[in-house]
Amino acid sequence: MRILLLSAYDAVSHQYWRKGLVNALPEHDWTVLSLPARYFSWRIRGNSLSWAFGERERLQQPYDLVIATSMVDLTSLRGFVPSLAQTPCVVYFHENQFAYPASGHEHQSVEPLILNLYNALCADRVLFNSGYNRDTLLEGADRLLRKLPDQVPPGLVEQIRARSEVLHVPLPEQVFLPAAPVEGPLEIVWNHRWEFDKGPELLLAAVERLQTDHVDFRLHVVGQQFRRLPPVFDQLKQRLESGGQLGCWGHIESTEAYRRLLQRSDVVLSTALHDFQGIAVLEAVAAGCRPVVPDRLAYRELFAAEYRYAEQQETSALARMLGELSASKHCGEPIRTPDVEHLGWPALKASWGRVIETLTQGGAPSL
């Protein structure tokens, strides 16, 4: 089958998904178009213009299926290239703008919300990487529609719900590695984007509490960095250096070195305000880390309660959980980790294949 795959805001997590999809299903003839993950406001509105008049020849080829990320301005693109309007289409939501936390610095606009809503209504099938992502989009769309002044047709949210399905971004086979723990303090890895929505303030507060409680730990702060970093990271580094608990710091260029760090770490920590699936955490768990994650977001459906710290008095709950794990390690007790093999490509490939096959045969996948 000939499949057109569109990634309009090709962030690292979107690349991870689309490359995995193409590699896992090589029997199909893939055409991939992507645009850089920058200039967010322009990109989400202008991608249809960029592609329709810059990639017209490729877009007008005969395709059996279109798979587009939720950042694609699908309604405009189908208007600019009418042949695409006749091709079955799947929209994949890695995230939704209804549940994205506000930093207080962004320009307030309803445009990203409308784009999510229109894409979900335009698609033949709407896929989400978690139930949390699906539910927050449906709830947010309902709130938005109730605020619109007039001429809002009934049943729009129900239409989206009926075409929706949760299908996780699968983990590649190479991330499933044996744990290789080391002796000494509790080895903790925090492996997220260095941005406000990943909760660095909570991370700093937890470190301060662990130091006050004299917990034996080493913290590795790694992940994707940008030119402008929240100032809290400077404070965090100073704290860890002064306490002698600083491990790896900054982005690790070598994939092999990063994988080795995950294998020797005891715990992968999330302090996120925003995670629709938490691939970084899942990869660490696949390499033997125990997740310590907040009791919110997608984590409630991914991990049992024993791996989630409470939202009430969150700093204390997080520090207490880490303190208990440190004590267990010092006593020689094994640190339990959950199995995430059901989220790997070998387990999920058939589900992705089913969606593609059923839509290209003119039906709707069964749930």
Side-chain angles (χ1 to χ4, degrees), residues 187-195 198 200 203-204 207 217-225 229 232-234 236-238 240 245-252 258 261 265 267 269 271:
E187 301 281 344
I188 306 169
V189 61
W190 187 94
N191 57 341
H192 309 278
R193 282 185 291 103
W194 291 27
E195 293 188 295
K198 297 305 180 182
L203 178 62
L204 175 61
V207 165
F217 74 97
R218 180 180 293 112
L219 178 61
H220 308 279
V221 182
V222 298
Q224 186 182 15
Q225 296 169 283
L229 299 176
V232 66
F233 283 101
D234 290 333
L236 177 62
K237 187 176 184 182
Q238 291 172 8
L240 292 169
Q245 293 116 351
L246 180 64
C248 296
W249 182 266
H251 180 66
I252 299 176
Y258 174 65
L261 172 63
S265 295
V267 167
L269 172 61
T271 53

Side-chain angles (χ1 to χ4, degrees), residues 251-300:
H251 180 66
I252 299 176
E253 292 291 340
S254 166
T255 301
E256 291 74 18
Y258 174 65
R259 301 271 184 242
R260 288 195 297 271
L261 172 63
L262 297 183
Q263 286 179 275
R264 71 172 187 267
S265 295
D266 301 300
V267 167
V268 58
L269 172 61
S270 172
T271 53
L273 306 174
H274 153 247
D275 254 336
F276 290 102
Q277 183 174 346
I279 289 292
V281 170
L282 290 170
E283 281 200 350
V285 174
C289 292
R290 179 187 177 96
V292 172
V293 298
D295 186 22
R296 57 172 180 266
L297 312 174
Y299 293 122
R300 287 179 176 173

Side-chain angles (χ1 to χ4, degrees), residues 327-340:
S328 295
K329 182 175 182 179
H330 277 281
C331 292
E333 299 174 5
I335 296 179
R336 288 180 45 182
T337 60
D339 184 4
V340 292

Side-chain angles (χ1 to χ4, degrees), residues 19-35:
K19 291 177 181 178
L21 188 60
V22 172
N23 290 337
L25 300 170
E27 63 271 26
H28 300 301
D29 181 7
W30 296 90
T31 296
V32 178
L33 296 182
S34 63
L35 293 169

Side-chain angles (χ1 to χ4, degrees), residues 8-9 14 40 44 47 69-73 95 97 115 119:
Y9 195 81
H14 294 209
F40 178 80
I44 65 169
N47 63 76
T69 67
S70 60
M71 301 294 190
V72 176
D73 183 8
E95 62 278 298
Q97 299 304 307
L115 177 71
N119 278 345

Side-chain angles (χ1 to χ4, degrees), residues 56 74-82 85:
R56 196 166 196 84
L74 191 59
T75 53
S76 295
L77 187 61
R78 283 179 146 185
F80 284 140
V81 187

